[in-house]
Amino acid sequence: MGEVIKRELIYIWYYFEVQLSQIFWYWIIGMAVGSLISVFAKDRIHTAFGKLSGKRWGLFGIIPACILGIASPLCMYGTIPIAASFSKQGVRDDWLAAFMMASILLNPQLIVYSAALGSTALIVRIVSCFLCGCAAGLVVHFVYREKPFFNFSGFEERKSHDADPNWLLRYLKNFGRNVKATGLYFLLGVLLSALFQRYVPQDAVTAAFGGDQAWGVLMAATVGVPLYACGGGTIPLLRQWMAQGMSMGSAAAFMITGPATKITNLGALKIVLGAKRFIAYILFTILFAFLTGIVTNLLV
């Protein structure tokens, strides 16, 4: 019995080491880029979005709002206080919805992580997240145009952690916080991918996420709700699933519902949306992820 356990541990360590060597540098470079933007470009990105309030772009303002949301390096708990200050400056709710949705789904750090999935998956992720942000803005514009959508009462913009006068220390401290926030999830994701590679047959993954395309997309969109914890943690798992037969559409659906329904994001959004709009947000996310997955499977 002891020899069997020892052999299995050796196998798992082998798969873990292989997975780690293949994806480690994407994680490191992603954090390096994310910290660089957070320390030196974050304020410019948010200032550019705040200035949109003075422009007469109308509905088309959701497009730059989505782009700036993707460029923003903040997590949702950091984005909501910023969005509250934008709301006070007069930024429209449909633009805010587009900015916040895009910011939830993607950031510069996660873009670099996602390159580990291949160029096709990276393009699919960027395009689908951008379109999801635009769709959120359109829904708010046409469905809630007569009444306010967000309730930012009680939210104040937080003081920046990146306040050290020495620019190098500022950067290193931000990078260290990145490692602390994502490191455990990243290693856990690599371990889970190793376990899948060792114990889950390829046919099982194909049957769940790739065989019946519509069913696989629905499964991925649903699984993304409870499973997603951190972008860095799910990239190794997604990479393994795709290697075992997960369709591109199923991966696209997971990459939308995952970050959009991340527990910490939901907790913050529940406060600013209220119960009814919060439920509508969940349904919108799952429906958009499902449709995105179906369309992706037809095109890719």
Side-chain angles (χ1 to χ4, degrees):
M1 186 67 177
E3 288 298 318
V4 173
I5 294 175
K6 182 178 179 180
R7 186 180 70 240
E8 290 303 310
L9 288 175
I10 291 173
Y11 274 121
I12 293 170
W13 173 252
Y14 169 75
Y15 289 127
F16 179 89
E17 193 175 26
V18 169
Q19 295 276 3
L20 184 64
S21 66
Q22 291 174 344
I23 203 169
F24 177 77
W25 288 109
Y26 290 100
W27 177 59
I28 290 293
I29 295 171
M31 287 190 300
V33 171
S35 292
L36 191 69
I37 293 173
S38 182
V39 172
F40 301 109
K42 176 180 64 180
D43 291 340
R44 293 182 181 180
I45 292 168
H46 295 156
T47 299
F49 182 66
K51 288 181 178 178
L52 288 179
S53 61
K55 299 184 183 296
R56 298 180 179 179
W57 287 16
L59 189 58
F60 291 102
I62 65 174
I63 295 174
C66 285
I67 294 172
L68 292 171
I70 290 172
S72 174
L74 292 179
C75 66
M76 182 43 51
Y77 268 104
T79 298
I80 287 181
I82 290 288
S85 70
F86 291 152
S87 183
K88 290 179 181 178
Q89 295 172 36
V91 176
R92 298 162 40 146
D93 275 0
D94 51 354
W95 296 1
L96 282 173
F99 176 84
M100 291 174 66
M101 190 79 229
S103 183
I104 288 173
L105 295 178
L106 201 56
N107 58 52
Q109 188 166 312
L110 193 52
I111 289 174
V112 177
Y113 285 164
S114 300
L117 302 174
S119 57
T120 301
L122 176 61
I123 292 170
V124 167
R125 181 162 213 170
I126 294 172
V127 172
S128 62
C129 291
F130 171 78
L131 292 177
C132 190
C134 289
L138 290 172
V139 169
V140 170
H141 177 82
F142 288 109
V143 178
Y144 296 94
R145 63 189 310 169
E146 300 299 329
K147 46 191 174 181
F149 184 73
F150 298 104
N151 178 16
F152 291 114
S153 59
F155 281 94
E156 298 292 338
E157 189 172 347
R158 297 178 177 181
K159 292 183 179 180
S160 175
H161 291 293
D162 303 312
D164 196 291
N166 185 302
W167 68 267
L168 181 58
L169 288 177
R170 226 168 36 240
Y171 177 78
L172 292 176
K173 287 178 180 178
N174 189 286
F175 185 85
R177 288 195 300 271
N178 253 333
V179 173
K180 184 178 179 180
T182 65
L184 179 61
Y185 293 112
F186 172 73
L187 293 175
L188 181 60
V190 175
L191 176 60
L192 286 174
S193 67
L195 292 173
F196 262 88
Q197 189 171 359
R198 175 61 180 160
Y199 296 114
V200 179
Q202 181 171 334
D203 291 345
V205 177
T206 302
F209 299 123
D212 182 328
Q213 291 189 339
W215 171 251
V217 170
L218 182 60
M219 278 286 293
T222 306
V223 167
V225 175
L227 186 61
Y228 196 97
C230 170
T234 52
I235 294 298
L237 197 55
L238 261 177
R239 195 170 185 271
Q240 185 56 39
W241 284 346
M242 291 173 69
Q244 290 183 287
M246 184 184 215
S247 71
M248 187 62 70
S250 295
F254 184 89
M255 287 187 289
I256 290 174
T257 58
T261 58
K262 181 181 173 183
I263 295 299
T264 52
N265 288 344
L266 293 183
L269 286 170
K270 176 70 164 54
I271 298 172
V272 300
L273 295 181
K276 290 183 179 179
R277 288 169 186 166
F278 178 73
I279 293 172
Y281 165 81
I282 297 294
L283 294 176
F284 164 82
T285 299
I286 294 175
L287 177 60
F288 187 91
F290 177 72
L291 293 176
T292 297
I294 296 297
V295 172
T296 300
N297 276 338
L298 291 174
L299 296 178
V300 177

